[in-house]
Amino acid sequence: KNEVEQSPQNLTAQEGEFITINCSYSVGISALHWLQQHPGGGIVSLFMLSSGKKKHGRLIATINIQEKHSSLHITASHPRDSAVYICAVSYMEYGNKLVFGAGTILRVKS
Amino acid sequence: DAGITQSPRHKVTETGTPVTLRCHQTENHRYMYWYRQDPGHGLRLIHYSYGVKDTDKGEVSDGYSVSRSKTEDFLLTLESATSSQTSVYFCAISDSVVYGYTFGSGTRLTVV
């Protein structure tokens, strides 16, 4: 079974700061996913990565397959970025099920 | 997301009653999943489907059953609801590594 570890568990930042959330996993995967959930809200898929780097607006996600590590970066953070960010991995050979990390609670103060 | 809808959004039910939650997709994705989310436990897989009439158990399947008679619909049934099944339930769909995952808006179920 794959273990997915996220760090930090909690993160408080000032508006405008550069934020990094890390994720590591123990077994080879088909893809790694970054998800966002606002308090009381639904779950939004931000990125799906199998290699390299992806960028969407102020969000950047990278993955190092050899190191089994991924990072989610938020540039110029804003209070609306306050949410729980969840890393998850999936395997096509096992029904593409997700194995989740515990999540990182991000609070961005203005 | 418009491609996946869950119903109902909220439900309060009594212990011992049967409950069915519905997930409907318009994306024609092969895989459908039911997850529950609880404080301190995060998201956990209940059941999933890899095609019409093809389903399998997840890590917390006890007390739940599912059915998928059409590609677009995946039903989750609590045969006899218990207070431990009070939770937020999320349906999700995926097709392949290319298309990733889409989650429904969630169903908040309270068993009293």
PDB file of all heavy atoms in Angstrom, chain B residues 11-20 63 77-86 109-112:
ATOM      1  N   LYS B  11     -29.331  15.508   3.823  1.00  0.00           N
ATOM      2  CA  LYS B  11     -30.388  14.581   4.249  1.00  0.00           C
ATOM      3  C   LYS B  11     -30.210  14.267   5.717  1.00  0.00           C
ATOM      4  O   LYS B  11     -29.088  14.018   6.185  1.00  0.00           O
ATOM      5  CB  LYS B  11     -30.364  13.286   3.434  1.00  0.00           C
ATOM      6  CG  LYS B  11     -31.543  12.367   3.753  1.00  0.00           C
ATOM      7  CD  LYS B  11     -31.649  11.226   2.794  1.00  0.00           C
ATOM      8  CE  LYS B  11     -32.868  10.352   3.122  1.00  0.00           C
ATOM      9  NZ  LYS B  11     -34.136  11.073   2.881  1.00  0.00           N
ATOM     10  N   VAL B  12     -31.334  14.272   6.422  1.00  0.00           N
ATOM     11  CA  VAL B  12     -31.370  13.831   7.799  1.00  0.00           C
ATOM     12  C   VAL B  12     -32.281  12.610   7.840  1.00  0.00           C
ATOM     13  O   VAL B  12     -33.395  12.642   7.312  1.00  0.00           O
ATOM     14  CB  VAL B  12     -31.906  14.924   8.742  1.00  0.00           C
ATOM     15  CG1 VAL B  12     -31.939  14.410  10.181  1.00  0.00           C
ATOM     16  CG2 VAL B  12     -31.054  16.179   8.644  1.00  0.00           C
ATOM     17  N   THR B  13     -31.801  11.543   8.440  1.00  0.00           N
ATOM     18  CA  THR B  13     -32.582  10.314   8.475  1.00  0.00           C
ATOM     19  C   THR B  13     -32.465   9.675   9.845  1.00  0.00           C
ATOM     20  O   THR B  13     -31.574  10.016  10.630  1.00  0.00           O
ATOM     21  CB  THR B  13     -32.115   9.337   7.380  1.00  0.00           C
ATOM     22  OG1 THR B  13     -33.057   8.270   7.258  1.00  0.00           O
ATOM     23  CG2 THR B  13     -30.749   8.748   7.720  1.00  0.00           C
ATOM     24  N   GLU B  14     -33.351   8.758  10.126  1.00  0.00           N
ATOM     25  CA  GLU B  14     -33.334   8.098  11.425  1.00  0.00           C
ATOM     26  C   GLU B  14     -32.554   6.792  11.359  1.00  0.00           C
ATOM     27  O   GLU B  14     -32.498   6.119  10.318  1.00  0.00           O
ATOM     28  CB  GLU B  14     -34.769   7.834  11.889  1.00  0.00           C
ATOM     29  CG  GLU B  14     -35.544   9.108  12.190  1.00  0.00           C
ATOM     30  CD  GLU B  14     -36.903   8.821  12.799  1.00  0.00           C
ATOM     31  OE1 GLU B  14     -37.327   7.647  12.791  1.00  0.00           O
ATOM     32  OE2 GLU B  14     -37.542   9.770  13.286  1.00  0.00           O
ATOM     33  N   THR B  15     -31.980   6.439  12.478  1.00  0.00           N
ATOM     34  CA  THR B  15     -31.271   5.169  12.601  1.00  0.00           C
ATOM     35  C   THR B  15     -32.163   4.020  12.179  1.00  0.00           C
ATOM     36  O   THR B  15     -33.336   3.966  12.562  1.00  0.00           O
ATOM     37  CB  THR B  15     -30.796   4.968  14.048  1.00  0.00           C
ATOM     38  OG1 THR B  15     -29.896   6.028  14.397  1.00  0.00           O
ATOM     39  CG2 THR B  15     -30.089   3.643  14.211  1.00  0.00           C
ATOM     40  N   GLY B  16     -31.590   3.119  11.375  1.00  0.00           N
ATOM     41  CA  GLY B  16     -32.333   1.932  10.954  1.00  0.00           C
ATOM     42  C   GLY B  16     -33.064   2.070   9.644  1.00  0.00           C
ATOM     43  O   GLY B  16     -33.556   1.072   9.107  1.00  0.00           O
ATOM     44  N   THR B  17     -33.156   3.263   9.109  1.00  0.00           N
ATOM     45  CA  THR B  17     -33.864   3.453   7.835  1.00  0.00           C
ATOM     46  C   THR B  17     -32.903   3.289   6.665  1.00  0.00           C
ATOM     47  O   THR B  17     -31.711   3.567   6.795  1.00  0.00           O
ATOM     48  CB  THR B  17     -34.518   4.836   7.746  1.00  0.00           C
ATOM     49  OG1 THR B  17     -33.496   5.843   7.853  1.00  0.00           O
ATOM     50  CG2 THR B  17     -35.521   5.031   8.876  1.00  0.00           C
ATOM     51  N   PRO B  18     -33.404   2.829   5.523  1.00  0.00           N
ATOM     52  CA  PRO B  18     -32.547   2.749   4.338  1.00  0.00           C
ATOM     53  C   PRO B  18     -32.414   4.118   3.679  1.00  0.00           C
ATOM     54  O   PRO B  18     -33.335   4.929   3.714  1.00  0.00           O
ATOM     55  CB  PRO B  18     -33.295   1.770   3.430  1.00  0.00           C
ATOM     56  CG  PRO B  18     -34.726   1.919   3.836  1.00  0.00           C
ATOM     57  CD  PRO B  18     -34.735   2.258   5.300  1.00  0.00           C
ATOM     58  N   VAL B  19     -31.242   4.361   3.103  1.00  0.00           N
ATOM     59  CA  VAL B  19     -30.968   5.638   2.444  1.00  0.00           C
ATOM     60  C   VAL B  19     -30.238   5.357   1.136  1.00  0.00           C
ATOM     61  O   VAL B  19     -29.342   4.513   1.097  1.00  0.00           O
ATOM     62  CB  VAL B  19     -30.072   6.541   3.321  1.00  0.00           C
ATOM     63  CG1 VAL B  19     -29.742   7.837   2.577  1.00  0.00           C
ATOM     64  CG2 VAL B  19     -30.733   6.834   4.653  1.00  0.00           C
ATOM     65  N   THR B  20     -30.633   6.046   0.086  1.00  0.00           N
ATOM     66  CA  THR B  20     -29.934   5.921  -1.188  1.00  0.00           C
ATOM     67  C   THR B  20     -29.461   7.292  -1.653  1.00  0.00           C
ATOM     68  O   THR B  20     -30.254   8.237  -1.704  1.00  0.00           O
ATOM     69  CB  THR B  20     -30.826   5.283  -2.263  1.00  0.00           C
ATOM     70  OG1 THR B  20     -31.122   3.937  -1.882  1.00  0.00           O
ATOM     71  CG2 THR B  20     -30.109   5.253  -3.618  1.00  0.00           C
ATOM     72  N   GLY B  63     -21.618  -2.025   5.540  1.00  0.00           N
ATOM     73  CA  GLY B  63     -22.845  -1.265   5.761  1.00  0.00           C
ATOM     74  C   GLY B  63     -23.326  -0.511   4.534  1.00  0.00           C
ATOM     75  O   GLY B  63     -24.371   0.146   4.581  1.00  0.00           O
ATOM     76  N   THR B  77     -26.190   2.862  -1.374  1.00  0.00           N
ATOM     77  CA  THR B  77     -27.293   2.563  -0.466  1.00  0.00           C
ATOM     78  C   THR B  77     -26.765   2.171   0.906  1.00  0.00           C
ATOM     79  O   THR B  77     -25.846   1.347   1.014  1.00  0.00           O
ATOM     80  CB  THR B  77     -28.173   1.428  -1.013  1.00  0.00           C
ATOM     81  OG1 THR B  77     -28.752   1.847  -2.248  1.00  0.00           O
ATOM     82  CG2 THR B  77     -29.285   1.081  -0.039  1.00  0.00           C
ATOM     83  N   LEU B  78     -27.320   2.824   1.901  1.00  0.00           N
ATOM     84  CA  LEU B  78     -27.111   2.427   3.288  1.00  0.00           C
ATOM     85  C   LEU B  78     -28.332   1.590   3.654  1.00  0.00           C
ATOM     86  O   LEU B  78     -29.445   2.108   3.731  1.00  0.00           O
ATOM     87  CB  LEU B  78     -27.012   3.643   4.193  1.00  0.00           C
ATOM     88  CG  LEU B  78     -25.778   4.540   4.090  1.00  0.00           C
ATOM     89  CD1 LEU B  78     -25.671   5.245   2.748  1.00  0.00           C
ATOM     90  CD2 LEU B  78     -25.774   5.554   5.217  1.00  0.00           C
ATOM     91  N   GLU B  79     -28.138   0.297   3.832  1.00  0.00           N
ATOM     92  CA  GLU B  79     -29.282  -0.602   4.010  1.00  0.00           C
ATOM     93  C   GLU B  79     -30.051  -0.288   5.290  1.00  0.00           C
ATOM     94  O   GLU B  79     -31.275  -0.350   5.327  1.00  0.00           O
ATOM     95  CB  GLU B  79     -28.798  -2.052   4.028  1.00  0.00           C
ATOM     96  CG  GLU B  79     -28.057  -2.485   2.766  1.00  0.00           C
ATOM     97  CD  GLU B  79     -28.954  -2.587   1.533  1.00  0.00           C
ATOM     98  OE1 GLU B  79     -30.202  -2.579   1.692  1.00  0.00           O
ATOM     99  OE2 GLU B  79     -28.424  -2.644   0.411  1.00  0.00           O
ATOM    100  N   SER B  80     -29.315   0.034   6.348  1.00  0.00           N
ATOM    101  CA  SER B  80     -29.913   0.356   7.642  1.00  0.00           C
ATOM    102  C   SER B  80     -28.989   1.376   8.310  1.00  0.00           C
ATOM    103  O   SER B  80     -27.989   1.001   8.913  1.00  0.00           O
ATOM    104  CB  SER B  80     -30.050  -0.911   8.486  1.00  0.00           C
ATOM    105  OG  SER B  80     -30.566  -0.607   9.763  1.00  0.00           O
ATOM    106  N   ALA B  81     -29.316   2.635   8.147  1.00  0.00           N
ATOM    107  CA  ALA B  81     -28.405   3.692   8.546  1.00  0.00           C
ATOM    108  C   ALA B  81     -28.076   3.663  10.041  1.00  0.00           C
ATOM    109  O   ALA B  81     -28.947   3.390  10.889  1.00  0.00           O
ATOM    110  CB  ALA B  81     -28.995   5.055   8.181  1.00  0.00           C
ATOM    111  N   THR B  82     -26.812   3.946  10.339  1.00  0.00           N
ATOM    112  CA  THR B  82     -26.365   4.048  11.732  1.00  0.00           C
ATOM    113  C   THR B  82     -25.719   5.412  11.945  1.00  0.00           C
ATOM    114  O   THR B  82     -25.300   6.081  10.980  1.00  0.00           O
ATOM    115  CB  THR B  82     -25.337   2.957  12.065  1.00  0.00           C
ATOM    116  OG1 THR B  82     -24.135   3.210  11.334  1.00  0.00           O
ATOM    117  CG2 THR B  82     -25.864   1.568  11.731  1.00  0.00           C
ATOM    118  N   SER B  83     -25.591   5.801  13.202  1.00  0.00           N
ATOM    119  CA  SER B  83     -25.028   7.120  13.503  1.00  0.00           C
ATOM    120  C   SER B  83     -23.588   7.240  13.010  1.00  0.00           C
ATOM    121  O   SER B  83     -23.131   8.339  12.684  1.00  0.00           O
ATOM    122  CB  SER B  83     -25.104   7.406  14.996  1.00  0.00           C
ATOM    123  OG  SER B  83     -24.404   6.417  15.724  1.00  0.00           O
ATOM    124  N   SER B  84     -22.869   6.124  12.939  1.00  0.00           N
ATOM    125  CA  SER B  84     -21.482   6.147  12.466  1.00  0.00           C
ATOM    126  C   SER B  84     -21.389   6.459  10.971  1.00  0.00           C
ATOM    127  O   SER B  84     -20.284   6.723  10.454  1.00  0.00           O
ATOM    128  CB  SER B  84     -20.788   4.823  12.753  1.00  0.00           C
ATOM    129  OG  SER B  84     -21.390   3.774  12.013  1.00  0.00           O
ATOM    130  N   GLN B  85     -22.524   6.437  10.290  1.00  0.00           N
ATOM    131  CA  GLN B  85     -22.537   6.761   8.870  1.00  0.00           C
ATOM    132  C   GLN B  85     -22.874   8.227   8.616  1.00  0.00           C
ATOM    133  O   GLN B  85     -22.974   8.648   7.460  1.00  0.00           O
ATOM    134  CB  GLN B  85     -23.507   5.840   8.122  1.00  0.00           C
ATOM    135  CG  GLN B  85     -23.027   4.390   8.123  1.00  0.00           C
ATOM    136  CD  GLN B  85     -24.013   3.431   7.493  1.00  0.00           C
ATOM    137  OE1 GLN B  85     -25.219   3.468   7.795  1.00  0.00           O
ATOM    138  NE2 GLN B  85     -23.527   2.564   6.617  1.00  0.00           N
ATOM    139  N   THR B  86     -23.034   8.980   9.693  1.00  0.00           N
ATOM    140  CA  THR B  86     -23.126  10.436   9.549  1.00  0.00           C
ATOM    141  C   THR B  86     -21.812  10.929   8.980  1.00  0.00           C
ATOM    142  O   THR B  86     -20.742  10.693   9.558  1.00  0.00           O
ATOM    143  CB  THR B  86     -23.396  11.099  10.912  1.00  0.00           C
ATOM    144  OG1 THR B  86     -24.710  10.748  11.340  1.00  0.00           O
ATOM    145  CG2 THR B  86     -23.278  12.612  10.810  1.00  0.00           C
ATOM    146  N   LEU B 109     -24.938  13.882   5.060  1.00  0.00           N
ATOM    147  CA  LEU B 109     -25.917  12.952   5.631  1.00  0.00           C
ATOM    148  C   LEU B 109     -25.791  12.941   7.137  1.00  0.00           C
ATOM    149  O   LEU B 109     -24.698  12.740   7.676  1.00  0.00           O
ATOM    150  CB  LEU B 109     -25.693  11.540   5.075  1.00  0.00           C
ATOM    151  CG  LEU B 109     -26.597  10.451   5.662  1.00  0.00           C
ATOM    152  CD1 LEU B 109     -28.043  10.672   5.212  1.00  0.00           C
ATOM    153  CD2 LEU B 109     -26.123   9.067   5.234  1.00  0.00           C
ATOM    154  N   THR B 110     -26.901  13.128   7.801  1.00  0.00           N
ATOM    155  CA  THR B 110     -26.948  13.061   9.255  1.00  0.00           C
ATOM    156  C   THR B 110     -27.910  11.951   9.658  1.00  0.00           C
ATOM    157  O   THR B 110     -29.069  11.955   9.220  1.00  0.00           O
ATOM    158  CB  THR B 110     -27.419  14.391   9.870  1.00  0.00           C
ATOM    159  OG1 THR B 110     -26.539  15.439   9.428  1.00  0.00           O
ATOM    160  CG2 THR B 110     -27.417  14.324  11.388  1.00  0.00           C
ATOM    161  N   VAL B 111     -27.428  11.014  10.460  1.00  0.00           N
ATOM    162  CA  VAL B 111     -28.256   9.919  10.947  1.00  0.00           C
ATOM    163  C   VAL B 111     -28.514  10.160  12.430  1.00  0.00           C
ATOM    164  O   VAL B 111     -27.577  10.210  13.236  1.00  0.00           O
ATOM    165  CB  VAL B 111     -27.581   8.557  10.728  1.00  0.00           C
ATOM    166  CG1 VAL B 111     -28.508   7.430  11.186  1.00  0.00           C
ATOM    167  CG2 VAL B 111     -27.192   8.370   9.269  1.00  0.00           C
ATOM    168  N   VAL B 112     -29.789  10.330  12.787  1.00  0.00           N
ATOM    169  CA  VAL B 112     -30.140  10.660  14.183  1.00  0.00           C
ATOM    170  C   VAL B 112     -30.825   9.488  14.877  1.00  0.00           C
ATOM    171  O   VAL B 112     -31.320   8.561  14.217  1.00  0.00           O
ATOM    172  CB  VAL B 112     -31.044  11.917  14.232  1.00  0.00           C
ATOM    173  CG1 VAL B 112     -30.297  13.105  13.661  1.00  0.00           C
ATOM    174  CG2 VAL B 112     -32.344  11.671  13.492  1.00  0.00           C
TER     175      VAL B 112
END
